[in-house]
Amino acid sequence: MESQWGDGGSVDLDDTRLETLDPRPLLTRDYETRPALVYERLRQQHGPVAPVDLLGVPAWLVLGYRESLQVLQDDDGWPKGLENWRARTEGRVPADWPLGPSLEVNHILIQGGPGYRPLRTAWDVALKPFQDPRHPQAKRLKAAVTAYADELITLVGQGGRTGVADLSAQFSRPLPLMVASHLLGFPGSQGDDALMDMWRVLDAGPDAEAALERLLATLAELAALKLQKPGDDFPSYLLAAYPDLSLDHLARELFMLLGMTSDHVGILISNTVVEVISGEGSVRASLSAGMVRESMNRVVMRKPPLVNFVPRFAARDTPLGNYTIRAGDPVWVSPGAAHADPLFADHVASGTTISTRAHLSWGAGPRQCPARELASTVAAAGVGRLFERFEHLDLALPADQLPWRSSPFMRGLRSLPVRYELAATPAGPPVGGLAPEAAGEVLPDPSARQRSSLWRYLTGLIRGGR
Ligand code: HEM
């Protein structure tokens, strides 16, 4: 046993080394189907911090709520940045490690070091117009979400006023993609086509690598366009806030925005829809009282879209849980597990509409999600519109049999089969929303939309009463 002086005086360090522990794989079939069980087993065996194997690479998984906060709130003690990863520097991370491509695209979520702070400040500035409810840009965004939601719902309705649909493929997934296209300031509906490549990347199928290349090239073109001709959009705002950003770097930041928007917001929308449909009567009642947001806060806490965060690295040998984490060891904070920690879970009263705000689903500390308001607004406006336009929505499968998809980072529904009945009279503008003419300004020319490959894909999904 060694000894080291920390802030609180002398602390004992054990002799454990991550590389000699030979941990068990995390990403098993159980992780896919019953993640809570996997976390519980690890907690029982190792306590709040457990060694795991992530597709052939050892890492520490933080399962404890207190320990998660300890890591997230101390960016100096647990910085991000792959350059801090000892095993990688020593050549012990295989070149073909499956998680390599997503972690090696260096953007704000992954980045550490001195470049991070100015970049985060620029992100905060660039997001502000979309997040400040009094700003015209935020109003336009809300109107756009409602207008896109209307387009998608009308398309579902082409299968008949009653029928069956997959609300994941036909609503929760395309809606944030259309929003991302709006945020990025793509001309017309051109963005929808290019951005469909994001799905190929996220689905990690055989065409994922080619799709990633195409997507980065498209985003680099867009970045160059915005440099020449700035508009009222996120890339232009980011460039204005950070004029030294190279085009290549800007493209990577846009890629990050696209990934977060299209995947995580989509997951949040689907989970909220399930909560509203299958929750107790009070949930639907509270919805009509304009409480979509509260419902969503509960959902995001119970089912965090990001179940594990990208790695941070111990700046020095540090005790955490029952182990000593060696300088340069990777540490993955797991809100999926931390929310099941009795320390946290026992404080969350089940079945109440009052939910705790102490959850980690948006992160914690200095690197907390800067787009929480934006993501919540998009999801709430989309879900709100869905329940205005559909008179009845029922799950076509019992809630506990809905299919889930998991990656090392996220967990969301693979599909969301429903039986629906559209309201007889089309809904007017949403309560507190903009007039339809204002929403019309944000929609691309309908004939261009119909020609887009996103639209052709969505039209192919219409099932109606079949
Ligand atoms: C439901 C949707 C979303 C959820 C649940 C979510 C959650 C999170 C979480 C947990 C983190 C912290 C990760 C960590 O500590 O390692 C994070 C960071 C971040 N998120 Fe979000 N996010 C969402 C949507 C978005 C959207 C739509 C954007 C962009 C428009 C965005 C931009 C970012 C950025 C830039 C960071 C990195 C912040 C930093 O490192 O300083 N997020 N998000």
Side-chain angles (χ1 to χ4, degrees), residues 121-132:
T121 307
W123 261 86
D124 287 336
V125 171
L127 284 173
K128 191 155 188 278
F130 299 103
Q131 305 206 93
D132 175 353

Side-chain angles (χ1 to χ4, degrees), residues 23 52 77 86 118 135-136 147 178 184 203 211-212 220 248 314 326 350 458:
V52 292
R86 188 164 33 84
H135 199 287
M178 294 155 86
L184 292 175
D203 292 343
L212 178 61
D248 169 55
R326 299 286 160 181
S350 60
L458 291 171

Side-chain angles (χ1 to χ4, degrees), residues 47-386:
V49 180
V52 292
D53 172 290
L54 283 171
L55 302 170
V57 168
W60 296 104
L61 194 72
V62 186
L63 308 152
Y65 178 74
R66 191 187 291 123
E67 292 72 15
S68 295
L69 275 182
Q70 191 179 328
V71 171
L72 296 176
Q73 287 173 340
D74 180 8
D75 201 34
D76 292 333
W78 304 94
K80 287 190 178 178
L82 298 194
E83 68 282 3
N84 295 310
W85 191 356
R86 188 164 33 84
R88 181 172 171 270
T89 313
E90 293 170 359
R92 284 186 284 115
V93 177
D96 60 352
W97 186 46
L99 302 185
S102 49
L103 294 180
E104 296 281 348
V105 181
N106 197 19
H107 50 57
I108 188 172
L109 187 66
I110 312 285
Q111 193 176 331
Y116 163 72
R117 253 295 119 211
L119 185 60
R120 168 69 191 233
T121 307
W123 261 86
D124 287 336
V125 171
L127 284 173
K128 191 155 188 278
F130 299 103
Q131 305 206 93
D132 175 353
R134 290 157 309 173
H135 199 287
Q137 197 55 267
K139 291 183 184 159
R140 271 189 74 214
L141 175 69
K142 219 169 155 191
V145 177
T146 308
Y148 299 151
D150 274 341
E151 282 191 293
L152 290 168
I153 295 164
T154 301
L155 196 61
V156 170
Q158 283 183 11
R161 199 163 86 77
T162 59
V164 290
D166 173 2
L167 279 191
S168 170
Q170 294 177 259
F171 189 78
S172 318
R173 259 196 138 190
L175 180 67
L177 197 72
M178 294 155 86
V179 171
S181 179
H182 172 92
L183 293 172
L184 292 175
F186 265 104
S189 61
Q190 182 193 332
D192 302 354
D193 288 353
L195 303 188
M196 279 178 80
D197 272 334
M198 192 73 220
W199 289 349
R200 298 185 182 98
V201 174
L202 292 168
D203 292 343
D207 48 356
E209 218 174 305
L212 178 61
E213 252 177 56
R214 270 196 311 270
L215 186 58
L216 286 174
T218 305
L219 293 173
E221 267 172 42
L222 182 72
L225 183 81
K226 297 299 171 187
L227 183 65
Q228 267 177 6
K229 206 171 160 233
D232 272 331
D233 46 53
F234 178 83
S236 307
Y237 297 160
L238 194 66
L239 270 173
Y242 198 149
D244 291 341
L245 208 59
S246 71
L247 283 186
D248 169 55
H249 194 166
L250 176 58
R252 277 183 273 136
E253 297 306 315
L254 302 184
F255 172 72
M256 147 76 193
L257 176 139
L258 182 56
M260 276 290 196
T261 309
S262 59
D263 210 25
H264 299 96
V265 177
I267 291 175
L268 179 55
I269 292 176
S270 279
N271 289 350
T272 308
V273 171
V274 174
E275 164 89 4
V276 174
I277 297 179
S278 61
E280 290 152 23
S282 63
V283 180
R284 273 199 193 205
S286 64
L287 251 199
S288 52
M291 285 183 68
V292 183
R293 284 235 177 191
E294 190 47 46
S295 193
M296 223 171 55
N297 190 47
R298 222 171 22 256
V299 165
V300 91
M301 174 183 67
R302 287 205 201 123
K303 296 176 184 146
L306 267 108
V307 283
N308 300 309
F309 295 168
V310 297
R312 288 159 161 88
F313 305 91
R316 61 195 75 84
D317 294 358
T318 314
L320 191 69
N322 299 331
Y323 292 100
T324 298
I325 315 300
R326 299 286 160 181
D329 274 0
V331 163
W332 295 54
V333 172
S334 171
H339 286 181
D341 180 346
L343 184 72
F344 178 80
D346 290 355
H347 282 84
V348 179
S350 60
T352 160
T353 46
I354 310 291
S355 58
T356 175
R357 307 243 164 212
H359 64 72
L360 305 176
S361 303
W362 302 102
R367 304 203 57 154
Q368 204 174 27
C369 182
R372 176 179 177 161
E373 183 54 35
L374 185 152
S376 306
T377 301
V378 171
V383 172
R385 195 57 171 171
L386 199 67

